[in-house]
Amino acid sequence: MDVVAANQLDLTFAALADPTRRAILARLATGEASVTELAEPFAMSQPAISKHLKVLERAGLISRGRDAQRRPRRLDAAPLAEATMWLERYRQFWEARYQRLDALLDELKKDELKKDEHKKQESRAPGKRRRRKSR
């Protein structure tokens, strides 16, 4: 991974670290919206929302359009796709680890069943009686 891609990934994850910014992205996933529309569900000032939007813009996650007097924001999903590809490598790594763990647990379970079956057969073998404990 080159430095530029690593920096973009850092910006993306930093932007996603905040729940307000994630909520803004979720809203923009349904379509473009103005700053006022984006600020409605939050108990914060418009300048505070604008700061969140600047972080999202710097990360390349949203862009600003121009529609007469409005400047609607829209979602740009490319950085999310890059973050997903980066995470996918680690998901595959952990999935392989879990599969090996599952195989080991299955093997241990089979061994335990064999031991239990062997004990049952020994207890049923002729000539071997269990002693009863005297009271």
Side-chain angles (χ1 to χ4, degrees):
M1 177 178 281
D2 65 12
V3 175
V4 175
N7 287 340
Q8 178 59 51
L9 200 57
D10 291 346
L11 290 170
T12 300
F13 283 121
L16 293 173
D18 185 86
T20 300
R21 292 192 287 267
R22 291 192 304 270
I24 291 169
L25 290 176
R27 165 55 186 88
L28 290 174
T30 65
E32 61 182 37
S34 68
V35 175
T36 305
E37 292 168 333
L38 292 170
E40 283 175 9
F42 304 104
M44 60 178 70
S45 66
Q46 197 161 340
I49 289 292
S50 293
K51 285 182 181 181
H52 284 295
L53 294 175
K54 284 180 185 172
V55 171
L56 291 168
E57 284 177 18
R58 257 186 268 125
L61 292 165
I62 65 171
S63 62
R64 196 184 309 202
R66 182 167 264 190
D67 182 17
Q69 295 293 350
R70 286 182 64 215
R71 290 182 181 257
R73 299 322 199 267
R74 66 179 58 92
L75 177 66
D76 288 333
L80 291 174
E82 292 170 17
T84 299
M85 288 187 318
W86 184 83
L87 288 169
E88 178 62 20
R89 288 188 308 214
Y90 294 97
R91 187 196 63 76
Q92 290 172 355
F93 168 80
W94 283 109
E95 189 173 290
R97 287 277 180 114
Y98 287 131
Q99 286 173 352
R100 287 197 304 266
L101 180 59
D102 284 343
L104 176 62
L105 291 173
D106 287 343
E107 190 176 313
L108 291 172
K109 201 180 291 183
K110 286 177 187 175
D111 289 347
E112 192 65 32
L113 290 173
K114 284 180 185 177
K115 285 180 187 177
D116 289 346
E117 187 61 33
H118 183 70
K119 285 180 183 178
K120 285 180 186 177
Q121 287 177 355
E122 280 184 345
S123 68
R124 292 185 206 144
K128 288 192 176 181
R129 291 188 176 192
R130 289 186 168 173
R131 288 186 176 173
R132 290 189 179 185
K133 291 183 180 178
S134 58
R135 293 185 184 193

